[in-house]
Amino acid sequence: MLAKAMLLVLSAVFAVAALFPAPAQASIPNRVFRVDIRPKQGYTRIILRLQENPQFTVASLPGNRLRLTLQDTDGPLFHKYRRYSDASIGGLLFSRCGSNLQVTFRAASGTGWRDATVDGTCAIALDVGTKFAPAPPRLYIAGRERIWNGVEKLVRDFDPPLKTDIPFVPTDRQILKNILNDSDQQAFMAAEAALYKGSLTEAEEAFTQFASRLSAVRPLALYRLGETWYKLQKYPQALAAFREAEKIWPAFLTFNPSVTFYYGDSIARSGDLAGARVLLARLIARLADKKYAPTLLVRLADILTRQGHDREALAIYRTVADNFPDNKANQMAQLRLADRDFLRATPWDYQRLSDLYLNISRQNSDVDMREEALFKHVLLHAIHGDASDALQQVVSFQKRFPRGVYVTVCRTIREVLVAQVYHESNWRKDAPGLIRFVEEHQDYLAACMDAPDFLPEVAKAYDEAARPIELIKFFSTLLDHQWVGTNGPYLYEEIASNADLLGDSALAEKTLRAFLRKYPTHPRARLMLERLGGVYFMGGKYQEARDTLLWLLNKKERAQRSESYYYLGRSLWEQKGAAQAGKAMDLYIATAGRDAKDAHLLPDAYYVAASARLAAGDRKGALRILDAGIKLPDNERNEEFLYKAGEITALEGKKQVARAYFEQVVKKGKDDDWKRLAQQAIESLDVGAAKR
């Protein structure tokens, strides 16, 4: 019964179903004298050359057919093109209809056409291919364009190596004995064992060595090498190996059906669909009584679909789906039939088709088909379903098939859905929830990064949860991704800020240095230089702080953080650079008022500024600075300032003024040491006066 069914299907596939009348000749002013068909990348160009400028129309017919009508034109009927087919077109039928010449042919499913004719030439140029297909109506939830784009190519054209279930036939040991010595026999059998077990790299290396020999084993090695390359998806290399082997030993194909299939499928993948169809049809006829013949028939239907023979392919799919319930091919055919409805699904009716894919996945024993069906179930939800539910399904699929063939496309799908769930959720009152969400999907936040408020909201959530260590770890992880893009500077700055908060100066320094190395021209680069200088200063690295901040003394430069002037001035003072230290402290004193949080640095700034003037011999300038410092509110170093001012005025010979400074320390001072020093200074002044 199986053989009978197979033969009936084959008869239906290759039957000729249309007859065209031949009208009487008449006197025609124009004539076609040549036809050229040129397959190109993604489309086929049909060129008709005529004696005169043509008048023509192109019409679409049912069944994915096109008809080119040339008015008042005659010419040969070019019978040889009736059997022509490629990935875009098939079966060009020339016929006469009154005074017109018609060219009718099938176009592959999903193709369109364009008129490429150049005005003024005696020729017609018609391009047919998928790139000219009108865009289908795109019904999907807004924001999921990235998922939808490429779906048609994925569903219809994605074509991994096919497992036919044809038994692997190892080479007869007797054949090997006749052509190889004992050690080579063992090596060849080991290579075949590696091929059978799926150790393809090992098999490739071994068969390549055997195929390079000019010996009797070469054609056999070429066949096995072609089979290995097919499974490695190196289809052009596989086809070349098969063709070379066939030239030497064509009879091998008659008793090794699996190699014959891989050969035919390699031909199909090269674009020669007609040649593949012939080879596979012969193989199916030879194996019609085998349980794996329906699988080959489904593959033949795939080729017919690409040739534009949509009705014949549909008939095969339905026949296999209806008549082979216990065969793997049944589910393959059901999957192909479901794929035909995939692009027509909408947000209102996708559930039925999604359930069908899920049912195919659950019932299938083949791992690859189970993965494919489940992926398409998940993909439908990703296009049309609720974002949160679809995201959970994608995550579940990734866990189930972590190294499957859909790894890359799942990444894109998850990125889109993560962004949608983020935007659709209210995180303002759920900081822990937002933290859990971003950490779970930390490798899929590329689309979220496009939102300007995303990273600030995440940083705010970590801040509200008082988890700076976790923020540092999370943001550091994000920096490892290429898609971080223009968000890198923000991440570095936040990491440095939280490291400062934790007192981890080493991490802060490392992060700021990385920022400046990667983004030297960034608008915030100078601010980061200032922050790095502050980190150096706080760590006692005065030389590094000086070198990092010295540019602040240049003309037209201005610090964004006033304390940067202080860090520079103090570092210069520690490095014995009195003059520049004074200049830096003057700048800090002039700008410190805008940063009240750093007011505690003012007394020291005044003292260093005064000391710098004193070192330069400017006693008046030093005294002026000290007097201004004495007037500072809440100056805890007031006694020191008064005592220093007294010393300077005493050096100036103003003993009474100096006494007044010292007396203020004695009367109002709170520090016993300064009071004692001031009292001693007064006594010294009195002794000096008595001597005079």
Side-chain angles (χ1 to χ4, degrees):
M1 291 298 293
L2 180 63
K4 183 177 179 180
M6 295 297 298
L7 291 174
L8 287 174
V9 171
L10 283 172
S11 299
V13 170
F14 299 113
V16 178
L19 297 175
F20 297 87
Q25 294 286 340
S27 177
I28 305 298
N30 207 349
R31 183 177 180 82
V32 176
F33 63 86
R34 180 176 172 180
V35 176
D36 293 321
I37 301 178
R38 299 175 180 175
K40 297 179 179 292
Q41 186 67 35
Y43 68 98
T44 297
R45 173 165 291 178
I46 305 171
I47 303 174
L48 280 67
R49 304 187 186 279
L50 301 93
Q51 292 179 344
E52 306 291 340
N53 288 335
Q55 296 293 323
F56 65 95
T57 60
V58 181
S60 297
L61 303 178
N64 290 333
R65 293 185 300 161
L66 290 175
R67 174 168 291 168
L68 174 64
T69 301
L70 292 78
Q71 285 85 24
D72 298 325
T73 303
D74 192 8
L77 297 184
F78 300 100
H79 294 294
K80 67 178 181 179
Y81 291 114
R82 290 186 180 184
R83 295 185 178 180
Y84 177 84
S85 66
D86 58 31
S88 300
I89 64 172
L92 279 73
L93 180 65
F94 288 76
S95 62
R96 299 185 181 93
C97 183
S99 61
N100 299 333
L101 183 67
Q102 294 182 336
V103 186
T104 307
F105 58 93
R106 291 189 182 278
S109 179
T111 59
W113 63 274
R114 73 172 179 183
D115 179 7
T117 303
V118 178
D119 292 339
T121 61
C122 299
I124 298 172
L126 191 68
D127 292 339
V128 182
T130 54
K131 65 187 301 182
F132 309 117
R138 297 191 169 188
L139 297 176
Y140 50 81
I141 296 176
R144 304 191 193 176
E145 294 81 1
R146 285 182 63 201
I147 300 177
W148 177 264
N149 292 336
V151 162
E152 180 174 10
K153 183 174 181 60
L154 178 67
V155 173
R156 289 184 175 171
D157 297 340
F158 181 69
D159 201 8
L162 186 64
K163 296 180 180 179
T164 64
D165 292 336
I166 299 176
F168 180 84
V169 181
T171 304
D172 191 305
R173 183 67 178 272
Q174 190 60 45
I175 295 176
L176 295 179
K177 284 183 178 180
N178 294 332
I179 58 178
L180 294 173
N181 59 39
D182 289 343
S183 62
D184 284 343
Q185 290 176 44
Q186 294 296 329
F188 198 91
M189 288 189 295
E192 287 192 335
L195 174 59
Y196 174 73
K197 294 176 182 178
S199 302
L200 301 179
T201 302
E202 179 184 343
E204 180 184 20
E205 292 176 357
F207 289 132
T208 300
Q209 292 180 5
F210 280 108
S212 64
R213 300 182 185 179
L214 296 177
S215 65
V217 77
R218 186 167 183 268
L220 179 58
L222 283 168
Y223 277 121
R224 290 306 192 192
L225 185 58
E227 185 176 356
T228 304
W229 276 336
Y230 174 88
K231 293 182 177 181
L232 286 169
Q233 302 184 49
K234 298 180 179 180
Y235 302 120
Q237 296 96 314
L239 181 57
F242 284 134
R243 283 178 169 162
E244 183 66 21
E246 185 184 22
K247 291 178 184 178
I248 305 171
W249 190 10
F252 180 83
L253 296 173
T254 62
F255 53 83
N256 195 312
S258 63
V259 170
T260 304
F261 169 76
Y262 296 135
Y263 185 10
D265 207 39
S266 297
I267 294 173
R269 293 171 190 273
S270 73
D272 183 6
L273 299 177
R277 175 177 170 179
V278 171
L279 188 60
L280 291 180
R282 291 173 181 169
L283 180 62
I284 293 170
R286 197 168 83 236
L287 303 174
D289 60 337
K290 306 296 184 182
K291 67 176 183 179
Y292 43 78
T295 302
L296 303 180
L297 195 57
V298 171
R299 186 56 175 167
L300 179 61
D302 295 342
I303 294 173
L304 289 169
T305 299
R306 296 191 181 186
Q307 284 184 297
H309 301 293
D310 205 52
R311 286 186 298 178
E312 291 91 333
L314 182 59
I316 292 177
Y317 291 141
R318 287 175 175 168
T319 299
V320 175
D322 294 341
N323 294 285
F324 300 94
D326 299 324
N327 192 289
K328 170 185 174 180
N330 173 276
Q331 306 248 317
M332 290 178 62
Q334 288 191 46
L335 196 58
R336 299 295 191 274
L337 291 170
D339 289 347
R340 300 169 73 87
D341 295 329
F342 192 101
L343 297 175
R344 292 193 287 269
T346 69
W348 304 279
D349 64 6
Y350 77 93
Q351 191 65 54
R352 178 198 63 80
L353 186 59
S354 177
D355 291 342
L356 177 59
Y357 280 122
L358 183 60
N359 187 53
I360 293 173
S361 177
R362 287 173 175 173
Q363 294 181 1
N364 211 300
S365 60
D366 183 271
V367 175
D368 294 332
M369 286 185 60
R370 192 159 64 238
E371 179 187 3
E372 180 183 356
L374 183 59
F375 170 75
K376 289 173 180 175
H377 161 76
V378 171
L379 181 58
L380 278 171
H381 280 272
I383 296 172
H384 303 299
D386 173 74
S388 181
D389 176 63
L391 178 58
Q392 292 179 9
Q393 292 199 40
V394 172
V395 173
S396 177
F397 179 85
Q398 288 179 307
K399 291 178 179 178
R400 188 170 178 182
F401 299 99
R403 290 179 293 275
V405 296
Y406 300 100
V407 169
T408 302
V409 70
C410 277
R411 169 171 291 280
T412 299
I413 294 172
R414 187 168 173 181
E415 286 177 357
V416 172
L417 293 175
V418 164
Q420 280 221 315
V421 172
Y422 167 75
H423 289 298
E424 292 174 2
S425 303
N426 184 7
W427 305 107
R428 293 184 178 179
K429 297 182 179 180
D430 188 14
L434 177 56
I435 292 172
R436 286 194 302 272
F437 178 78
V438 297
E439 289 185 350
E440 179 183 359
H441 304 289
Q442 60 184 340
D443 293 329
Y444 303 90
L445 299 174
C448 292
M449 292 290 188
D450 295 334
D453 65 334
F454 173 67
L455 287 175
E457 286 294 327
V458 173
K460 180 181 177 183
Y462 277 101
D463 183 56
E464 291 178 358
R467 296 166 62 178
I469 295 177
E470 288 88 342
L471 180 141
I472 290 173
K473 181 179 178 181
F474 176 63
F475 276 12
S476 297
T477 301
L478 293 185
L479 285 171
D480 293 334
H481 296 287
Q482 292 183 346
W483 42 254
V484 71
T486 57
N487 294 290
Y490 177 85
L491 294 174
Y492 279 111
E493 191 169 350
E494 283 296 311
I495 292 171
S497 296
N498 281 270
D500 270 339
L501 182 65
L502 294 170
D504 190 345
S505 58
L507 177 59
E509 177 185 330
K510 176 184 175 182
T511 305
L512 291 169
R513 287 169 64 90
F515 181 108
L516 293 166
R517 183 175 63 254
K518 292 188 176 184
Y519 312 104
T521 60
H522 191 273
R524 295 179 67 81
R526 296 207 167 207
L527 177 59
M528 295 304 103
L529 268 175
E530 292 183 44
R531 291 186 60 177
L532 179 60
V535 171
Y536 283 140
F537 176 81
M538 293 300 182
K541 298 178 179 180
Y542 300 120
Q543 182 64 47
E544 289 84 348
R546 172 193 177 282
D547 295 341
T548 303
L549 299 173
L550 193 60
W551 58 274
L552 289 173
L553 299 183
N554 296 336
K555 290 183 179 180
K556 298 182 179 180
E557 294 290 357
R558 184 181 181 86
Q560 298 181 49
R561 307 171 77 201
S562 59
E563 66 268 26
S564 296
Y565 289 123
Y566 173 80
Y567 298 145
L568 174 60
R570 206 8 133 163
S571 298
L572 286 165
W573 182 255
E574 296 292 338
Q575 295 290 310
K576 311 302 181 185
Q580 288 182 314
K583 182 179 179 181
M585 288 306 190
D586 286 345
L587 290 169
Y588 174 68
I589 291 169
T591 59
R594 68 188 186 206
D595 291 322
K597 64 184 179 66
D598 295 313
H600 65 285
L601 301 176
L602 272 173
D604 190 58
Y606 275 99
Y607 193 84
V608 172
S611 299
R613 282 171 170 74
L614 190 60
D618 183 7
R619 293 176 179 173
K620 292 183 179 179
L623 188 59
R624 185 173 61 254
I625 294 294
L626 288 170
D627 283 335
I630 291 169
K631 297 175 183 178
L632 289 173
D634 302 321
N635 184 357
E636 296 180 354
R637 299 176 62 180
N638 202 49
E639 292 97 328
E640 183 180 5
F641 275 54
L642 287 167
Y643 183 83
K644 190 69 174 178
E647 282 189 324
I648 294 173
T649 52
L651 291 173
E652 288 286 296
K654 300 177 180 179
K655 307 298 183 180
Q656 293 302 320
V657 178
R659 175 185 288 274
Y661 282 119
F662 293 138
E663 288 178 346
Q664 289 186 60
V665 175
V666 173
K667 294 178 182 179
K668 300 179 181 180
K670 298 179 181 179
D671 188 296
D672 291 337
D673 291 334
W674 285 115
K675 290 172 68 175
R676 184 175 65 256
L677 289 172
Q679 184 61 48
Q680 293 174 356
I682 292 173
E683 293 173 357
S684 296
L685 290 174
D686 291 342
V687 171
K691 288 181 177 180
R692 288 197 300 272

